[in-house]
Amino acid sequence: MLQQSFNLFHTECSSAAWDTTLLEHLHTGLHQQLDDLDACLGQVMEEEDPALGRTGPTLAVKRYFQGIHVYLKENEHSDWGWETVRVEIMRRFLC
């Protein structure tokens, strides 16, 4: 979810709807969390059976973010479209 959020808000179209300073803070925060997560996952993956995989959850997250990309494209990456996406993602992270 962090990686997909980072990718979404790291597109050229996202900068048109956001304050560039706030967007840069978001990029930095997401990047730091991804680095921290990678470090944790590296330790966990050494302990787990690699045959188990994570296909189901990974596929569900990718589909979720593909839907967001389609929504933004259909709404021509409008400011209100980006605001809707921001609210939706914040709601998901808080659940």
Side-chain angles (χ1 to χ4, degrees):
M1 185 96 171
L2 284 172
Q3 183 65 57
Q4 293 293 327
S5 296
F6 180 81
N7 293 345
L8 177 67
F9 292 113
H10 209 66
T11 63
E12 289 180 26
C13 298
S14 67
S15 63
W18 294 66
D19 176 284
T20 54
T21 303
L22 295 175
L23 188 59
E24 187 57 39
H25 286 298
L26 177 63
H27 289 164
T28 302
L30 286 171
H31 192 275
Q32 180 61 50
Q33 289 186 15
L34 283 168
D35 286 347
D36 294 346
L37 182 61
D38 281 343
C40 291
L41 285 177
Q43 294 172 354
V44 170
M45 293 305 282
E46 291 173 3
E47 299 169 6
E48 279 189 1
D49 181 0
L52 295 176
R54 297 179 188 262
T55 311
T58 301
L59 186 57
V61 169
K62 283 185 179 185
R63 285 185 181 153
Y64 173 77
F65 278 93
Q66 284 173 344
I68 289 175
H69 284 285
V70 168
Y71 171 81
L72 287 168
K73 186 175 181 179
E74 288 173 350
N75 290 286
E76 300 174 353
H77 298 277
S78 66
D79 290 353
W80 60 267
W82 277 105
E83 183 61 18
T84 302
V85 168
R86 184 192 67 79
V87 169
E88 169 65 15
I89 289 177
M90 288 300 295
R91 187 173 66 86
R92 294 291 178 178
F93 274 117
L94 295 175
C95 288

